[in-house]
C-alpha cells in the first residue's frame, strides 16, 4: 500500500512539474519579464487590486510595477527528496534569504528592475519560511482570488511536501493565503546592511 502511495505521489509530482513548466511559459507572455535568483523566480508585472499603504509609509498603487516572487518548486522538491522535509525547509529558508539578497543587489544594477517598487507574493507558509525576511502581510481582498489561492496552494502543499496531505488536514484553519509585501525602499535598506 505504501509503495502504491509513493508511486501515486511521484506521478502527481511529475504532472505538477510539467504544469509549472507550461505556467512559466504563460507567465513570460503575460509579464514584462521573468528572472531567476537562486531558489526564486521573479516575475515583473503590474500590481492589480487596491492601493496599499506599507509600513514604511510607501504606497503601492494599482498599475505600479512589482516583482512577484515564486519559489522554484523543482529545487524545493529535490531538496526534500535528498534531505527530508525538516532539513529541506531549513535550507530552503536560508536559500530564500540569499535569493532576496541577490535581488536587492540586482535592484541597484539591473535596468529591468529600475521600475520595480516592491517585492510581492502569495503564500500559505507565512508563519515559517519567510520569518525574519522583512515582509509585511496583507489580507487578500478579492474573495474569489482568496478562494482560488487557498485551493491552489493547499494542493501544491499536498503534492510537493512529503507529509503535505497530513499537514493540510491538521493545520487547515491556519493555512490561509496572505499577500507578502516588501517595498523597494525597505528591501534596499535592510539587505544593503546584510551585504555590508
Amino acid at each position: 500500500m505504501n509503495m502504491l502511495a509513493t508511486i501515486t505521489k511521484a506521478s502527481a509530482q511529475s504532472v505538477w512539474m510539467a504544469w509549472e513548466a507550461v505556467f512559466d511559459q504563460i507567465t513570460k507572455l503575460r509579464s514584462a519579464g521573468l528572472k531567476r535568483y537562486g531558489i526564486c523566480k521573479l516575475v515583473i508585472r503590474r500590481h492589480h487590486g487596491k492601493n496599499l499603504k506599507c509600513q514604511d509609509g510607501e504606497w503601492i498603487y494599482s498599475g505600479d510595477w512589482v516583482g512577484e516572487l515564486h519559489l522554484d518548486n523543482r529545487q524545493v522538491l529535490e531538496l526534500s527528496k535528498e534531505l527530508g522535509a525538516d532539513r529541506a525547509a531549513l535550507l530552503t529558508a536560508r536559500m530564500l534569504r540569499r535569493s532576496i539578497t541577490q535581488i536587492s543587489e540586482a535592484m541597484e544594477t539591473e535596468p529591468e528592475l529600475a521600475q520595480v517598487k516592491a517585492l510581492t507574493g502569495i503564500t500559505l507558509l507565512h508563519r515559517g519560511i519567510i520569518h525574519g525576511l522583512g515582509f509585511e502581510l496583507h489580507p487578500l481582498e478579492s474573495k474569489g482570488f482568496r478562494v482560488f489561492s487557498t485551493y491552489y496552494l493547499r494542493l501544491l502543499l499536498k503534492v510537493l511536501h512529503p507529509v503535505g496531505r497530513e499537514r493540510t488536514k491538521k493545520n487547515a484553519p491556519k493555512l490561509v493565503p496572505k499577500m507578502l509585501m516588501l517595498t523597494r525602499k525597505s528591501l534596499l535598506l535592510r539587505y544593503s546592511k546584510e551585504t555590508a
Side-chain angles (χ1 to χ4, degrees):
M1 191 69 176
N2 285 339
M3 181 177 285
L4 180 59
T6 302
I7 293 169
T8 303
K9 182 119 183 170
S11 299
Q13 289 169 349
S14 296
V15 170
W16 192 279
M17 287 299 103
W19 151 246
E20 288 215 350
V22 173
F23 182 75
D24 278 356
Q25 296 306 313
I26 296 170
T27 300
K28 283 180 183 178
L29 295 174
R30 298 185 62 188
S31 63
L34 189 154
K35 301 175 74 66
R36 294 176 185 272
Y37 300 93
I39 203 165
C40 281
K41 294 181 277 189
L42 188 70
V43 179
I44 302 165
R45 65 169 189 81
R46 292 191 183 274
H47 170 65
H48 298 293
K50 291 187 176 181
N51 301 336
L52 293 173
K53 185 177 182 181
C54 299
Q55 291 170 3
D56 61 2
E58 295 285 298
W59 279 88
I60 305 300
Y61 296 101
S62 183
D64 282 345
W65 289 101
V66 294
E68 187 177 85
L69 286 170
H70 296 265
L71 278 179
D72 184 337
N73 288 315
R74 187 175 295 280
Q75 289 190 55
V76 174
L77 182 58
E78 287 171 0
L79 286 173
S80 189
K81 287 177 177 177
E82 289 172 17
L83 304 174
D86 293 338
R87 287 182 63 199
L90 287 172
L91 187 54
T92 298
R94 290 190 198 123
M95 292 172 73
L96 178 58
R97 179 177 289 277
R98 280 201 296 271
S99 293
I100 294 173
T101 302
Q102 291 170 16
I103 292 169
S104 173
E105 292 169 357
M107 283 277 204
E108 299 188 279
T109 58
E110 296 185 18
E112 304 97 312
L113 302 183
Q115 58 197 349
V116 171
K117 288 186 65 177
L119 297 184
T120 185
I122 308 293
T123 185
L124 290 176
L125 304 177
H126 41 84
R127 286 177 169 80
I129 197 169
I130 65 149
H131 178 72
L133 296 181
F135 287 93
E136 55 191 78
L137 300 174
H138 293 268
L140 299 184
E141 300 291 345
S142 165
K143 184 179 178 181
F145 185 61
R146 186 168 63 248
V147 170
F148 170 78
S149 297
T150 301
Y151 177 79
Y152 181 85
L153 292 172
R154 285 182 183 178
L155 181 61
L156 172 65
L157 188 61
K158 284 180 184 177
V159 171
L160 297 188
H161 197 283
V163 290
R165 183 176 296 278
E166 293 81 0
R167 187 174 180 184
T168 304
K169 283 182 181 177
K170 185 179 177 182
N171 298 315
K174 297 178 183 178
L175 294 175
V176 178
K178 298 278 187 181
M179 176 187 285
L180 308 176
M181 187 66 69
L182 180 60
T183 67
R184 183 189 191 94
K185 174 182 168 183
S186 291
L187 172 74
L188 296 179
L189 185 63
R190 185 183 190 95
Y191 288 91
S192 62
K193 287 180 181 176
E194 289 204 5
T195 305

